[in-house]
Every structure is written in structure tokens, then in C-alpha cells.
Amino acid sequence: MTIHDRVTRTSSAVVGSTDDIVRRAGAVPPLDGFPTLDDLWRHFARLERENPGLVSSRRVATSRLGEPIHAYSIGSGSRDHLIVGGVHPNEPIGSWTAIHLAETLCADGDLRTALDATWHIVPSIDPDGGRLNEGWFADPGDRGHYARRFYRPAPDEQVEWTFPTSYKDAYFDRVMPETLGLMRLIDELRPDLYVSLHNGEMGGVYYYLSRPVPELTEVLHAVPASFGLPLDTGEPESPFLERYAPAVFGTGTIADAYDYLESLGVDPALEIAGSSSSEYASRHGTLGVVAELPYWKHPDADDGSPTDESYADLLRRTGGEMTATGEALVDLLARAEPLLTFESPFLRASRAFVPMLVRMGAVDRARAASPESARPATVAERFSCEDLVHCFRLRYGGMLLRAVEAEAVAGTATAPLRRLVDETAVLYAAWQAEAAAADRAEVIPISSLVGVQYGAVLAAAAHLAAGDTAGNATGPAPR
């Protein structure tokens, strides 16, 4: 039985059909910037006030800095769908998606009936981290402005990656309060659908599914196409991931990641800590969905034509650049550490990510030795690998600069530390100039990004309404 047989009709469109989802995705209104955390809380508090009996809320966690975290429930359908924002606090497209989804569900009784679900929305599971990104929320189109004010928690401080792990020598149980609250909510709801609201940065659109769902491919491709957005068919975030369709991947598991790294001769214990929210939800047969969206689209993101460079040479070249980037930052961090007097989130994140860049380069060089790499690289792969170097220079160089600047702002920086701040700023400016010189990207309207993410949520919910109850093991999206 298809979606068309099971869902209701509104006007001439079948609710949940590809045409209907494309139409609904295209109806997201123009949006300007991203809401701050206080704005996000106000949006949902207003929805609850204005929709008594339809919307209810409850506290499900407390942030490490003491902020209450609430879940909002809408409707009373037979399935439970859980939508969670802020799992990575530098990825705020989901804030608007959560708001638009909630407002639409409140206003559209036909949609609620057709999808037959009780919706549970956590607008942000990491408000502490979200607030450290608010400096770029008002102007997200400028990549330099964005990266200079960027914050991503260290992996063991990310809600997405602090679920319990036990596989071979990988063991993790340092569960944060926010993660514990989400664990309890997942175990209570045993959701049919779990969507963690992520987004990428540059390139094209791609998706993760916790199990193969071929019926979703058409709509997952159609929605970004309706906005003129390319699929990202270049280098996947993690090479071991199964490709279900162009730009649609399996989420993989911690075991997959561990075994892959072990096969390359890399110590997995250095790279693997906690598991993901999707892998945790898989114990309940939950369908996990992630829509990864860029702020900037690039014409090379879906160009599968071959280049005159082998894939092996590409990996060696960009892997070497990544290692050199990491080594430069490792040196700056090592010289800064004795001069720093307090530990900021930026410093903790730098300690985790800076040496990671060195190891990432080593992994790529190990991959280059594989016989499978002796083929021409595609244009999309070349773009993905080259831009990842720019991305990580801007992200993690910017965070290290924030870490050392914090002392100067606080008035505790010594003269040697102030000189080191200046040295870091000069290197970072050079990296910004290199990234800008290579930039042929176009800023994507936020409403289009929200439309794609919203469309993916509706497509998965409509698929479940059509009768798919299959369950399968799932796992994490890459860090």
C-alpha cells in the first residue's frame, strides 16, 4: 500500500505525495538570519499559549549551565515522532525548521490527521553551546564572519556524540546532563521517527537514513531540486558509510567506524568516544533521518565528471594540507597553554580538534594507498576534499583565536600571550584570504534550507503513515 492510498487529500494534492511535499517545502516564508536561543524559547512558549489543548510542554533536561530544556508535544496521533534541534549548536537551520514544523502542525488539522502522529519537538538540546554561536546568527551569509564567531564543542561535550559506547577497546560513559535527558526521552517515547536537526556548511544537500528506504529517494531528491540546490555527490563525511542512493547514506555505527579505522592501521581509540543519538534510538526500531544542508551552494558539489588528478593523489595532497594545518595550530596551542589562566569552552574544543586535524591528514594518506584509490577523482570529490581544508582552517583556527583572545578580553593576558594572539590572527587572516580566493559559492536563502529540512521530515512521516514499520540497527552520522 502506498502513501497515496493511506493519506488524506487537501485540495487537489495528496498529503504526503512528492508533489504535496515539494509544494509545502516551497511555502516556507522568507527568513532573515537565525533566532537566538531566547527568541527560540519565545516562539514555542507563544505556540503553547495560543493552542491550549493541542500543544503542551514539559521539562526534559537541564543544561550544564543550569538552563531548563523543554519538549513540546503537538497532537495526539498513534505514532510518536521526536524532532531534536541543537544536537550540534553550530547548526541552527533546525531552529527555523522546528518553528515552521510546529506552526504548520498547529494550523493544519488535515496534515495532523494524515500523518497520524504525536509530535515531540525539543527546540534546542544544547542551549549553552547555541549561545556561543549567536555572534554570527544575524549575518550567516558571510563565511568569514561566520567562521570568526564559530563554536563547536569538543566531541565529548557534544550531545550528538555522548551516548554510551562499548565496542572492542572503545568505551564511553561520560554522559552529559543534556544527553541523559534525551536518552530518557527516547526510551520513554520509543519513537517511530527520530530526526536530529543537523546542517553542513558548503556544497550541496545530502541525507542520512538509519535503514534503507528506497521509497524516500524520489522526494529527497525532488525537494532540493525544486529550490535549484545541488545534491552533494562528492566525498562523503566518512568513507565507510553505505551509499543508499546519490547523496543518501546510511548512518553507520560505532562498530563500522572502529573496524574501518582499524583496517587502515589507525588506532580507533584516538578517534572514537561516544555514540550518536540515532544509534541509541535504533534499539527501538526507530527510523532515523538527518538532512544535511549547506549555507552556500557550489557548482562543483554534484559534478561527477573525472579530473586529471587521481583520487589517490588528491587524498595525498589535501591530506598533507590538513596535516600542515593541524601542525601549525598544534604549535600555537602548545605555546599558548603555559600562558593561559582559565579554561574556556573554546580552549577545550581547541585541545580536541587541533590534534585531530593532524590525524585526519594521516588517515587520508593511508586511504590513498588503497588499490581502490587508483582511479580519477571526480570534480565533486576534488571540491569536497579541498574545501574541507578551508572549512577546518576557518572553523578551528577561529576557535583557537577565540580561546587566546578570551584572556585579552578578560584583561588577564600577559605581553607574550598578546603577541601570540597577534601571530594567530595573522595566520588566520591568511587562511581567510586563501578561502576567499577559491570561493565560487552562492549564499542559499534560509527559507530554501528550511524547506528542504522540513520536506525531509514530512517525507519520512508520510512514509511511516503509509505503513512502514520496519526496524533496523542504526548508528551515528560522522563528527
Side-chain angles (χ1 to χ4, degrees), residues 297-330:
K297 66 178 180 179
H298 196 282
D300 291 350
D302 61 350
D303 187 342
S305 58
T307 68
D308 57 3
E309 183 177 28
S310 75
Y311 186 59
D313 286 345
L314 173 66
L315 290 174
R316 279 190 285 267
R317 175 169 63 86
T318 56
E321 291 170 354
M322 189 70 80
T323 293
T325 296
E327 288 173 344
L329 294 175
V330 164

Side-chain angles (χ1 to χ4, degrees), residues 263-470:
S263 75
L264 295 176
V266 175
D267 182 0
L270 293 174
E271 309 299 331
I272 292 175
S275 185
S276 75
S277 58
S278 291
E279 184 166 13
Y280 187 81
S282 71
R283 65 189 58 205
H284 303 301
T286 301
L287 174 61
V289 176
V290 175
E292 294 275 12
L293 312 160
Y295 302 119
W296 304 278
K297 66 178 180 179
H298 196 282
D300 291 350
D302 61 350
D303 187 342
S305 58
T307 68
D308 57 3
E309 183 177 28
S310 75
Y311 186 59
D313 286 345
L314 173 66
L315 290 174
R316 279 190 285 267
R317 175 169 63 86
T318 56
E321 291 170 354
M322 189 70 80
T323 293
T325 296
E327 288 173 344
L329 294 175
V330 164
D331 173 64
L332 288 168
L333 178 59
R335 287 190 283 139
E337 286 274 18
L339 307 173
L340 299 173
T341 62
F342 62 88
E343 187 171 284
S344 68
F346 312 113
L347 178 57
R348 294 196 301 271
S350 294
R351 286 171 177 157
F353 288 118
V354 163
M356 179 194 75
L357 303 186
V358 178
R359 298 194 300 270
M360 285 180 65
V363 169
D364 278 353
R365 293 194 297 277
R367 291 172 57 209
S370 169
E372 289 78 15
S373 298
R375 59 171 177 81
T378 67
V379 172
E381 288 169 337
R382 182 178 63 190
F383 162 72
S384 297
C385 290
E386 290 178 346
D387 190 70
L388 190 64
V389 175
H390 292 308
C391 171
F392 282 6
R393 282 176 174 176
L394 296 181
R395 281 184 173 193
Y396 303 127
M399 280 209 300
L400 179 57
L401 187 51
R402 291 185 80 176
V404 294
E405 279 182 335
E407 297 270 348
V409 171
T412 58
T414 61
L417 182 57
R418 289 180 182 276
R419 288 193 287 271
L420 192 64
V421 171
D422 292 340
E423 182 181 346
T424 306
V426 168
L427 176 63
Y428 189 70
W431 285 344
Q432 283 187 309
E434 286 184 35
D439 190 2
R440 293 189 294 129
E442 179 183 338
V443 179
I444 302 171
I446 294 173
S447 58
S448 299
L449 300 174
V450 173
V452 173
Q453 198 165 60
Y454 172 63
V457 174
L458 293 186
H463 174 71
L464 292 171
D468 175 25
T469 57

Side-chain angles (χ1 to χ4, degrees), residues 37 63-65 67 69 86-92 124-137 149-153 157-159 176 178 345-346 348 402:
L37 270 295
S63 78
R64 282 155 292 164
L65 293 181
E67 185 155 5
I69 299 171
V87 284
H88 283 144
N90 58 289
E91 300 175 1
S124 175
I125 195 66
D126 184 6
D128 299 347
R131 293 185 188 282
L132 296 180
N133 280 283
E134 289 183 346
W136 60 269
F137 281 5
R149 294 157 181 80
F150 172 93
Y151 168 70
R152 186 177 179 91
E157 295 184 43
Q158 296 175 13
V159 175
M176 302 188 306
E178 300 91 332
F346 312 113
R348 294 196 301 271
R402 291 185 80 176

